[in-house]
């Protein structure tokens, strides 16, 4: 079914009787709405006639054969789903819905007029089984050629069936008599057959079913147990009301509503009964409520006739309250308006106009005349919604309040469709007192109510046919009849307010109202937020802050701008400079427009030792080895690193020294495959800008291309030195460094590093670099940079050594020894770099040796090491022991290395064969990981040779155990990057374990470091203090906020409910007590308070001292929390006990001084209130109140206390300044005085 | 409450007195302080009965026969072997419940399992990152729990020497004491973080946390049926907890409020033996919350020294002295043992408070004592890194001289109680 079909369905349904609402629903749902519009548009032109709806329905139900023929497109269209033009018969439905649409679209009158002539009964007509009169019901064959034997075959074929329609004749058949009427006694209900009792009675008219009885099987709320009472004096005390109603049964509660805005009583109450015993007789709450309604409705309380209605679920009550509130609100609004324009009011008083509620001058001076005048002048100010208040104000005039007074707002718009008769003020003056007379006058007619506003009287009738008739009758008979001296010029509106446009359905009204309310609420909240915001701003209005904020914003903008214009743009410009891409161009074989210019420089470069791969090689096409370190190395270039890393992760390559395999010089660069070049290119491009540049450009552009912001750094030793003293290539390197740093550098480290980099003697620099490496934290960026630099230097030096370019071996060895020493010194922490350096260096050195030589050397070294070890006797140096371990492990490692290492030479830039993970923890696994082969081992051994070996017995076993322990505790096998240790708080015992250490008193500060509950509080406290120190205002602010939060939290619904319940119970109890023993009421209340108003509390460990008491619910300010219970003793006894307790070591004092000589001792016998700790910023207070003549200690909330907050009060000890035994206070509040006494 | 803290006067043999008075609840007349006597009576009535076999209990009711049994006033444990191997002080030593093994834990973060017969080292359990203060055997002797300064409790499989997969992690400071429940399903641990945790051994989770004390918990123990847990702390309190509800049933405080360093239920479960740092070991009737006995004579002011119960009887090789009645020969008495900071280990008779023997041999503190199966062996360990095993020997027949046995340094009683010695000999 297409969408149109769906729409049809909906509409068809909407045509069913009595579904105005559903129709609206359909209209409201967007898809059908649009559809119906469309349908209407397509159809409205063709359908001008409006057949009655029963006809439509009939057609819908019944399809005559020719109706099929008449609308062949019907089903087809719907099934095809294109531009569905539905059957024409349905048009009225669509028209109707379309008119409803029109209502929405702003032409409401049309629909109203459309609807009014439509009799409502037609809607209720059921679809007919029979076709409408006048249509053929069928046909009868009168002659069939096939059956005619006389005809020949030919003729038979040719001849057509002769048929005759029937049912076309219109006649009014008498409906067949109801067969049931034949049953004797059917009409009288006496027809039941004897054998089966039947309830079938002929009902000629609908009748009301009796209300269902609520019995024990019924679900839902039971019968009403409460009555709504209104009309009484709002100032009537609850007690009186209760008393009144308690004659019918025991009253559970009286809920007398107040206006939430003004707090005034509305005079509407809900009285709830409960099952109970009265005078020994059981009285049912339901019965009570019923009785109250029956007997009390219409009777009086005081001078007021009250209305009592059973109200099962309090809905009536709610409704009335709502209306009363609305009225009150309107009134207030009016009053406000009136006060704004008092002039007009006074005008009206002087010269009562038509609009004035005041009576005309010629009006009879009724009994309320006096009243109405002030009423007029002060207008609605005194007018209470229900009138009773007015009486309270003027009790001498009860009658004036008995009926409704002149309504402030016009009645007419409220009347809607109710039939009414209007008596304009012109014919009968508007006077509240007239109403009773008028009522009396019209008592022959069945009116519902008489209302009065300034335009006149409205006699309102029932909203039904009967009401309409009644209206007409009244009009006919009473129009222009006399009322006192006036003539009632009536205006009959039996169809209700002529101007009334049918209001939207109640549902929609509701929805709209809800929406509006929602919207208003949102608005209100927004406003509130704004208010709070404003208040907050006002509270911490700090012009300096504001200015700072402003400045900050501006500065940021400026800085961003500067960065853009001064840094970013030059860099971009730089990068795009064609001169910089020479090398690339050359590599790609692109002609260079300025080739000639650059040739010289590049040549120059080669001499200077530029090592970029695409520049001409040194000997054998090799990069000049000593020039390597001059390559800008960017340790921060992650991509580059990753590439390296990945290369090394291939296991086969793990220990590769590429140079070993092919000691002969590799083929020169140009002979390599193209793919290689490609790779080169990528490598190059992956590098940073700097690498793409030639050093010359760097040199030349160095000064001016450096961003201005760097000038500040010129003050560091960095540049001053380098520019003046260092040779050119060194200076370049410096710039590299500088260029590399994009981040702001830690001053000291930077200086240190910078300083080192420019050390003239290489060895010194290297050594100091190592120092840097060792001192800096491993994770530091600078450390890694320094390491890199160190490595580069060392490698270059090693290479130099190898080729005897610069220094002799002696130097090298000396520095090496230094290294070793240093490594030994802080080997506990960072032995890695030293070892690594050595290993690498060693490799470089041995590059040219044959394998055999290597082995020989290793063996020699090992032997030496062994000797050394043997010589040195066990001294506790744990790291040394690891040499032995390494030996073993390295055997295995070596085997592995020999087995699958493929030797190769690096052809591009030199790479490390192994990337040492400097974050490894150097336990057994770590060593194993970091020492890759025999030379590493040899050097490690040499490094540790000075330290004596530890006696660890079986090395393998020892190593295995170490690993096991580590695996057990860290949960990981293999090398780890974090030290396996004890998490959290741990202080090692000097003897090894707690038990061998013996007992020591643990100080509180120490305990605060590991006791969980203390840590929590301690943290909070420290945070607070830190913030206090940093920014006192902010803390105050946060304190405020938390206080506000707490305030909010205390107002949770649950606590409200609890409080309400408590309150009600209390009131009840108090009342009962008052009733019985009036004299002791006060005592009773206090006693009750102590007993009943206790809050839920619990005790738990406290950070302040030992145990503490905690709230288990939100406690409001000034609420009683708990009573301090204990033995009451005299001062002397207390003193004795105190001494005794102290001796016994009862760590806490539970003595509470109540009076001078009365002390409550809760130590041995007492309640948990004794656990409440002291705080200098308490949230509770202890009060001593007298109950039954004896003083009691009661703890009250000093502020709102949130759930799980610790309760504290100020112990108020006497201050003992200078005393030796002052008790330190640990309350942790911001204003802590430090001591309790 | 006044408990006589004065050591028993020489010459009085409470045992004898009891055997005269105890039948059927007569109040002893001969004791100095009346309440002290009552206590003693109460104790005498209850205490040894559990340590005896049922038939002996029946015999208890027959005073006439019992009179003939003389309680030995001395014990004769001699050094049997010394186990060395720990690199630092040995914090605790325990016999396995089946008597086969001795487990010792040390500040060097290792646990060693020794064969109790031969003294051979069976396993060295390593895995803790810090010194180990306490160990506990599971009742089936297959699992050993150890509590270390690294805040972790580990369970070790004795057969493999491996740590079970899941350590018990949850304490916030050093784990200081441990005890297995008699069924082996629960473990109670006391820690420096002032908490007592009940662990479910199988799941390695905390079942219950008992907010117990305001100072480090120095000792915990399970009663023999597992329904109660005792904990003690250096805040001076001993608390008795209901295992199932976690409620504190009783708090025992002595007036002096000295830090309590170890707590142990008596084998019959009616008493609690607690060592305090005022150099006293007290026996509490925890139901009534009073001290029944106070044992003194050792030095304990700093270290947490564990205590042990044992029984002793008249040796088989001296049947003549006790009338030759076989059942009478099996008559057992209880003794309590505790180490001392001067290197001794002191054994007291539980009811008379007499010092039965002082085992000398350690240098420095004796941290832990345990009495083996059949009470024939005692093991002690101390800060001198050694574990010593003592074997019971028949009392020397020599007349009242102590010099015969170098280790038997029971000077005090022997010097003042020559009669006791003679009594032994009949």
């Amino acid at each position: 079914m297409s969408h149109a079909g769906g729409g049809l369905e909906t509409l068809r349904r909407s045509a069913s009787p009595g579904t105005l609402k559903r129709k609206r629903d359909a209209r409201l749902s967007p898809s059908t709405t649009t559809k119906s519009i469309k349908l209407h548009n397509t159809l409205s032109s063709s359908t001008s006639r409006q057949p009655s709806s029963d006809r439509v329905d009939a057609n819908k139900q019944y399809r005559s054969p020719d109706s099929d023929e008449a609308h062949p497109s019907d089903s087809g269209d719907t099934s095809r789903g294109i531009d569905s033009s539905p059957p024409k018969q349905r048009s009225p439905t669509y028209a109707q819905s379309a008119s409803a649409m029109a209502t929405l679209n702003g032409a409401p009158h049309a629909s109203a007029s459309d609807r009014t002539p439509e009799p409502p009964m037609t809607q209720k007509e059921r679809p007919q089984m029979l076709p409408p009169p006048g249509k053929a019901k069928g046909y009868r064959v009168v002659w069939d050629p096939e059956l005619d034997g006389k005809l020949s075959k030919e003729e038979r074929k040719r001849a057509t069936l002769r048929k005759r329609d029937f049912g076309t004749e219109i006649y009014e058949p008498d409906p067949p008599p109801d067969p049931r009427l034949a049953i004797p006694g059917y009409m009288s209900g006496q027809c039941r057959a004897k054998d089966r009792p039947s309830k079938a009675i002929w009902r000629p008219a609908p009748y009301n079913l009796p209300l269902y009885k609520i019995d024990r099987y019924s679900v839902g709320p039971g019968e009403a147990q409460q009555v709504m009472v209104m009309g009484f004096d709002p100032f009537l005390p609850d007690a009186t009301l209760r008393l009144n109603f308690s004659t019918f049964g025991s009253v559970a509660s009286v809920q007398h509503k107040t206006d939430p805005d003004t707090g005034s009583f509305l005079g509407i109450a809900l009285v709830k009964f409960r099952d109970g015993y009265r005078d020994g007789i059981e009285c049912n709450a339901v019965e009570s409520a019923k009785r109250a309604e029956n007997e009390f409705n219409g009777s009086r309380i005081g001078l007021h006739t009250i209305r009592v209605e059973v109200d099962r679920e309090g809905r009536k009550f709610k409704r009335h309250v709502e209306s009363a509130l609305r009225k009150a609100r309107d009134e207030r609004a009016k009053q406000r308006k009136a006060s704004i324009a008092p002039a007009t009011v006074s005008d009206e008083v002087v010269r009562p106009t038509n609009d004035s509620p005041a009576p005309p001058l010629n009006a009879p001076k009724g009994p309320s005349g006096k009243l109405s005048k002030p009423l007029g002048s002060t207008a609605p100010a005194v007018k209470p919604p229900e009138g009773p208040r007015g009486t309270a104000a003027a009790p001498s005039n009860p009658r004036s309040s008995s009926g409704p007074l002149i309504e402030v707002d016009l009645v007419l718009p409220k009347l809607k469709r109710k039939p009414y008769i209007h008596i304009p003020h012109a014919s009968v003056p508007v006077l509240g007192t007239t109403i009773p007379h008028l009522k009396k006058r019209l008592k022959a007619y069945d009116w519902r109510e008489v209302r009065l506003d300034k335009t006149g009287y409205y006699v309102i009738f029932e909203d039904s046919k009967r009401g309409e008739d009644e209206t007409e009758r009244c009009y006919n008979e009473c129009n222009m009849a006399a009322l006192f001296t006036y003539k009632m010029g009536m205006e009959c509106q039996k169809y209700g307010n002529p101007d009334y446009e049918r209001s939207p359905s109640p549902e929609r009204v509701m929805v709209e109202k809800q929406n509006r309310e929602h919207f208003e609420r949102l608005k209100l909240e927004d406003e509130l937020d704004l208010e709070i915001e404003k208040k907050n701003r006002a509270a911490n209005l700090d012009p300096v802050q504001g200015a700072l904020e402003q400045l900050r914003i501006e500065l940021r903008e400026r800085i961003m701008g500067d960065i853009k214009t001064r840094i970013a743009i030059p860099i971009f410009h730089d990068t795009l400079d064609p001169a910089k891409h020479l090398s690339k161009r050359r590599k790609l074989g692109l002609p260079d427009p300025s080739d000639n210019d650059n040739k010289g420089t590049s040549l120059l470069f080669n001499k200077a030792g530029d090592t970029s791969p695409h520049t001409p090689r040194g000997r054998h096409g090799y990069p000049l080895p000593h020039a390597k370190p001059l390559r800008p190395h960017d340790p921060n270039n992650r991509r580059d690193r990753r590439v390296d890393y990945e290369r090394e992760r291939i296991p086969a390559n793990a220990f590769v020294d590429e140079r070993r395999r092919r000691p002969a010089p590799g083929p020169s660069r140009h002979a390599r495959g193209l793919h290689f070049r490609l790779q080169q290119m990528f490598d190059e491009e992956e590098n940073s800008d700097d690498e793409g540049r030639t050093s010359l450009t760097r040199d030349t552009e160095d000064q001016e291309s450096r961003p201005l912001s760097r000038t500040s750094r010129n003050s560091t030793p960095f540049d001053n030195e380098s520019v003046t003293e260092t040779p050119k290539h060194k200076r370049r390197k410096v710039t590299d460094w500088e260029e590399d740093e994009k981040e702001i550098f830690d001053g000291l480290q930077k200086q240190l590093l910078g300083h080192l980099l420019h050390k003239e003697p290489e060895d010194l620099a290297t050594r100091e670099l190592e120092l840097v490496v060792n001192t800096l934290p491993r994770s530091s960026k600078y450390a890694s940079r320094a390491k890199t630099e160190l490595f580069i230097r060392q490698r270059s030096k090693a290479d130099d050594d190898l080729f005897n370019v610069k220094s002799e071996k002696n130097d090298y060895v000396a520095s090496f020894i230094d290294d070793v020493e240093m490594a030994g010194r802080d080997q506990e922490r960072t032995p890695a770099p030293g070892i690594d350096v050595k290993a690498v260096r060693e490799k470089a050195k041995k590059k040219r040796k044959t394998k055999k030589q290597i082995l020989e050397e290793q063996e020699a070294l090992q032997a030496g090491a062994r000797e050394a070890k043997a010589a040195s006797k066990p001294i506790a140096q744990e790291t040394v022991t690891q040499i032995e371990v390494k030996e073993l492990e390295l055997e295995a490692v070596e085997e592995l290395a020999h087995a699958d290492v493929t030797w190769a030479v690096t052809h591009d830039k030199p790479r490390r064969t192994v990337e040492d993970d400097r974050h490894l923890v150097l336990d057994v696994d770590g060593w194993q990981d970091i020492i890759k082969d025999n030379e590493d081992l040899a050097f490690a051994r040499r490094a540790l040779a000075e330290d004596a070996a530890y006696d660890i017995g079986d090395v393998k076993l020892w190593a295995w155990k170490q690993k096991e322990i580590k695996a057990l505790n860290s949960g990981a096998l293999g090398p780890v990057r974090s030290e396996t240790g004890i998490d959290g708080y741990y202080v090692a015992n000097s003897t090894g374990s707690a038990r061998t250490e013996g007992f020591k008193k643990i100080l509180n500060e120490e305990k605060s470091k590991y006791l969980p509950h203390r840590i929590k509080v301690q943290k909070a406290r420290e945070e607070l203090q830190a913030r206090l120190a940093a920014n006192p205002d902010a803390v105050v602010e946060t304190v405020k906020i938390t206080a506000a939060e707490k305030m909010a939290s205390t107002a949770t619904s649950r606590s409200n409910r609890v409080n309400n319940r408590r309150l009600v119970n209390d009131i009840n109890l108090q009342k009962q007590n008052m009733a019985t023993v009036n004299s002791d009421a006060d005592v009773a209340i206090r006693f009750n308070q102590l007993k009943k108003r206790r809050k839920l509390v619990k005790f738990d460990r406290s950070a302040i001292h030992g145990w503490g008491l905690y709230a288990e619910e939100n406690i409001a300010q000034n609420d009683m929390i708990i009573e301090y219970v204990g033995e009451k003793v005299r001062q002397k006894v207390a003193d004795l006990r105190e001494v005794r307790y102290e001796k016994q070591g009862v760590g806490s004092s539970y003595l509470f001084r109540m009076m001078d000589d009365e002390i409550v001792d809760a130590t041995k016998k007492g309640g948990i209130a004794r656990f409440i700790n002291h705080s200098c910023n308490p949230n509770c207070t202890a009060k001593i109140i007298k109950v039954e003549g004896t003083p009691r200690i009661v703890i009250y909330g000093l502020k709102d206390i949130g759930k799980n907050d610790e309760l504290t009060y100020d112990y108020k000890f006497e201050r003992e300044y200078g005393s030796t035994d002052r008790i330190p206070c640990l309350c942790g509040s911001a204003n802590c005085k430090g001591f309790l006494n | 409450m006044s408990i006589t803290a004065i050591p028993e006067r020489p010459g009085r043999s409470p045992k004898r007195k009891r055997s005269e008075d105890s039948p059927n609840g007569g109040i002893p007349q001969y004791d100095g302080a009346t309440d002290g006597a009552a206590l003693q009576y109460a104790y005498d009535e209850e205490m040894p009965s559990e340590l005896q076999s049922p038939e002996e209990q029946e015999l208890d009711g027959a005073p006439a026969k019992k009179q003939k049994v003389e309680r030995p006033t001395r014990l004769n444990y001699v050094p049997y072997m010394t186990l060395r191997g720990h690199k630092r002080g040995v914090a605790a030593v325990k016999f396995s419940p089946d008597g086969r093994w001795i487990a010792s834990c040390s500040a060097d973060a290792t646990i060693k399992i020794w064969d109790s017969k031969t003294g051979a080292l069976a396993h060295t359990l390593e895995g803790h990152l810090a010194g180990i203060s306490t160990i506990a055997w599971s009742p089936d002797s297959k699992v050993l729990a150890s509590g270390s300064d690294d805040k972790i409790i580990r369970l070790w499989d004795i057969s493999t020497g491996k740590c079970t997969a899941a350590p018990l992690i949850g304490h916030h400071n050093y784990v200081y004491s441990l005890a297995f429940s008699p069924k082996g399903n629960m473990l109670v641990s006391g820690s420096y973080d002032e908490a007592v945790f009940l662990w479910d051994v199988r799941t390695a989770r905390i079942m219950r946390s008992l907010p117990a004390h305001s100072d480090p918990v120095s000792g915990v123990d399970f009663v023999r049926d597992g329904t109660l847990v005792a904990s003690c702390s250096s805040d001076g309190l001993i608390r008795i907890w209901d295992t199932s509800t976690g409620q504190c049933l009783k708090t025992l405080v002595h007036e002096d409020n000295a830090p309590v360093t170890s707590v142990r239920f008596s084998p019959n479960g009616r008493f609690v033996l607690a060592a305090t740092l005022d150099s006293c070991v007290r026996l509490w009737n925890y139901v009534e919350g009073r001290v029944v006995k106070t044992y003194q004579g050792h030095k304990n002011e700093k270290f947490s020294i564990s205590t042990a119960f044992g029984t002793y009887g008249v040796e088989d090789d001296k049947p003549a002295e006790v009338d030759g009645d076989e059942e009478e020969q099996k008559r057992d008495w209880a003794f309590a043992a505790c180490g001392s900071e001067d290197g001794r280990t002191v054994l007291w008779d539980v009811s008379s408070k007499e010092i039965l023997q002082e085992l000398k041999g350690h240098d420095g503190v004796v941290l832990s004592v345990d009495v083996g199966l059949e009470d024939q062996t005692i093991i002690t360990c101390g800060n001198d890194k050694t574990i010593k095993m003592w074997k019971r020997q028949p009392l020397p027949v020599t007349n009242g001289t102590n010099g015969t046995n170098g280790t038997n340094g029971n000077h005090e009683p022997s010097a003042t109680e020559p009669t006791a010695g003679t009594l032994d000999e009949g």
Side-chain angles (χ1 to χ4, degrees), chain A residues 10 21 41 63 244 286 302 457 504 589 797 1060 1080:
Chain A
T10 326
K21 177 189 152 217
N41 289 341
R63 292 267 167 89
N244 271 308
V286 179
Y457 299 84
K797 203 138 74 73
N1060 284 343
D1080 292 335

mmCIF file of all heavy atoms in Angstrom, chain A residues 10 21 41 63 244 286 302 457 504 589 797 1060 1080:
data_model
loop_
_atom_site.group_PDB
_atom_site.id
_atom_site.type_symbol
_atom_site.label_atom_id
_atom_site.label_comp_id
_atom_site.label_asym_id
_atom_site.label_seq_id
_atom_site.Cartn_x
_atom_site.Cartn_y
_atom_site.Cartn_z
ATOM 1 N N THR A 10 -6.318 6.355 7.367
ATOM 2 C CA THR A 10 -6.509 7.222 8.510
ATOM 3 C C THR A 10 -7.785 8.022 8.360
ATOM 4 O O THR A 10 -8.585 8.148 9.281
ATOM 5 C CB THR A 10 -5.330 8.194 8.613
ATOM 6 O OG1 THR A 10 -4.169 7.531 8.176
ATOM 7 C CG2 THR A 10 -5.178 8.686 10.009
ATOM 8 N N LYS A 21 -11.730 13.717 17.925
ATOM 9 C CA LYS A 21 -10.379 13.722 18.470
ATOM 10 C C LYS A 21 -9.421 13.004 17.533
ATOM 11 O O LYS A 21 -8.343 13.474 17.226
ATOM 12 C CB LYS A 21 -10.415 13.020 19.825
ATOM 13 C CG LYS A 21 -9.067 12.879 20.469
ATOM 14 C CD LYS A 21 -9.190 11.993 21.666
ATOM 15 C CE LYS A 21 -7.878 11.296 21.896
ATOM 16 N NZ LYS A 21 -7.998 9.979 22.340
ATOM 17 N N ASN A 41 -6.761 19.329 -2.207
ATOM 18 C CA ASN A 41 -6.516 20.179 -3.365
ATOM 19 C C ASN A 41 -6.937 19.496 -4.648
ATOM 20 O O ASN A 41 -7.499 20.107 -5.543
ATOM 21 C CB ASN A 41 -5.037 20.541 -3.452
ATOM 22 C CG ASN A 41 -4.684 21.496 -2.341
ATOM 23 O OD1 ASN A 41 -5.590 22.110 -1.781
ATOM 24 N ND2 ASN A 41 -3.410 21.596 -2.026
ATOM 25 N N ARG A 63 -20.377 -1.884 -2.312
ATOM 26 C CA ARG A 63 -19.996 -1.533 -3.678
ATOM 27 C C ARG A 63 -21.008 -2.169 -4.600
ATOM 28 O O ARG A 63 -21.039 -3.382 -4.750
ATOM 29 C CB ARG A 63 -18.594 -2.067 -3.982
ATOM 30 C CG ARG A 63 -17.510 -1.378 -3.212
ATOM 31 C CD ARG A 63 -16.961 -0.233 -4.036
ATOM 32 N NE ARG A 63 -16.131 0.617 -3.199
ATOM 33 C CZ ARG A 63 -14.832 0.406 -3.030
ATOM 34 N NH1 ARG A 63 -14.248 -0.590 -3.647
ATOM 35 N NH2 ARG A 63 -14.138 1.207 -2.276
ATOM 36 N N ASN A 244 -14.205 19.413 63.095
ATOM 37 C CA ASN A 244 -15.482 19.299 62.413
ATOM 38 C C ASN A 244 -15.625 17.960 61.736
ATOM 39 O O ASN A 244 -16.659 17.317 61.801
ATOM 40 C CB ASN A 244 -15.606 20.414 61.375
ATOM 41 C CG ASN A 244 -16.229 21.647 61.983
ATOM 42 O OD1 ASN A 244 -17.287 21.569 62.594
ATOM 43 N ND2 ASN A 244 -15.557 22.775 61.834
ATOM 44 N N VAL A 286 -13.727 5.001 54.280
ATOM 45 C CA VAL A 286 -14.603 5.227 53.136
ATOM 46 C C VAL A 286 -15.974 5.688 53.624
ATOM 47 O O VAL A 286 -16.558 6.657 53.113
ATOM 48 C CB VAL A 286 -14.736 3.930 52.321
ATOM 49 C CG1 VAL A 286 -15.656 4.125 51.160
ATOM 50 C CG2 VAL A 286 -13.361 3.478 51.865
ATOM 51 N N GLY A 302 -19.064 27.809 61.017
ATOM 52 C CA GLY A 302 -19.142 29.220 61.360
ATOM 53 C C GLY A 302 -20.282 29.838 60.566
ATOM 54 O O GLY A 302 -21.426 29.392 60.637
ATOM 55 N N TYR A 457 -25.148 40.576 33.308
ATOM 56 C CA TYR A 457 -25.342 39.276 33.920
ATOM 57 C C TYR A 457 -25.357 38.212 32.853
ATOM 58 O O TYR A 457 -25.846 38.427 31.748
ATOM 59 C CB TYR A 457 -26.673 39.248 34.684
ATOM 60 C CG TYR A 457 -26.716 40.270 35.803
ATOM 61 C CD1 TYR A 457 -27.064 41.588 35.506
ATOM 62 C CD2 TYR A 457 -26.449 39.916 37.101
ATOM 63 C CE1 TYR A 457 -27.117 42.526 36.528
ATOM 64 C CE2 TYR A 457 -26.504 40.835 38.107
ATOM 65 C CZ TYR A 457 -26.840 42.158 37.831
ATOM 66 O OH TYR A 457 -26.878 43.074 38.809
ATOM 67 N N PRO A 504 -9.587 24.665 20.679
ATOM 68 C CA PRO A 504 -8.938 23.390 20.371
ATOM 69 C C PRO A 504 -9.283 22.345 21.435
ATOM 70 O O PRO A 504 -9.727 22.677 22.527
ATOM 71 C CB PRO A 504 -7.445 23.730 20.407
ATOM 72 C CG PRO A 504 -7.353 25.051 21.079
ATOM 73 C CD PRO A 504 -8.645 25.739 20.885
ATOM 74 N N GLY A 589 66.329 14.994 -11.808
ATOM 75 C CA GLY A 589 66.765 15.311 -13.159
ATOM 76 C C GLY A 589 66.093 16.516 -13.745
ATOM 77 O O GLY A 589 66.010 16.664 -14.977
ATOM 78 N N LYS A 797 84.169 9.767 16.375
ATOM 79 C CA LYS A 797 85.512 9.664 16.897
ATOM 80 C C LYS A 797 86.078 8.268 16.627
ATOM 81 O O LYS A 797 87.235 8.114 16.248
ATOM 82 C CB LYS A 797 85.489 9.918 18.403
ATOM 83 C CG LYS A 797 86.812 10.366 18.928
ATOM 84 C CD LYS A 797 86.665 11.484 19.942
ATOM 85 C CE LYS A 797 86.134 10.971 21.250
ATOM 86 N NZ LYS A 797 87.159 10.222 21.964
ATOM 87 N N ASN A 1060 8.489 15.925 55.892
ATOM 88 C CA ASN A 1060 7.048 16.151 55.943
ATOM 89 C C ASN A 1060 6.376 15.118 56.829
ATOM 90 O O ASN A 1060 5.543 15.440 57.659
ATOM 91 C CB ASN A 1060 6.443 16.084 54.544
ATOM 92 C CG ASN A 1060 6.745 17.357 53.789
ATOM 93 O OD1 ASN A 1060 7.120 18.365 54.402
ATOM 94 N ND2 ASN A 1060 6.597 17.314 52.485
ATOM 95 N N ASP A 1080 1.233 19.665 80.107
ATOM 96 C CA ASP A 1080 2.571 19.154 79.831
ATOM 97 C C ASP A 1080 2.936 19.210 78.351
ATOM 98 O O ASP A 1080 3.834 18.514 77.882
ATOM 99 C CB ASP A 1080 2.686 17.703 80.313
ATOM 100 C CG ASP A 1080 2.628 17.636 81.813
ATOM 101 O OD1 ASP A 1080 2.974 18.668 82.428
ATOM 102 O OD2 ASP A 1080 2.239 16.593 82.347
#
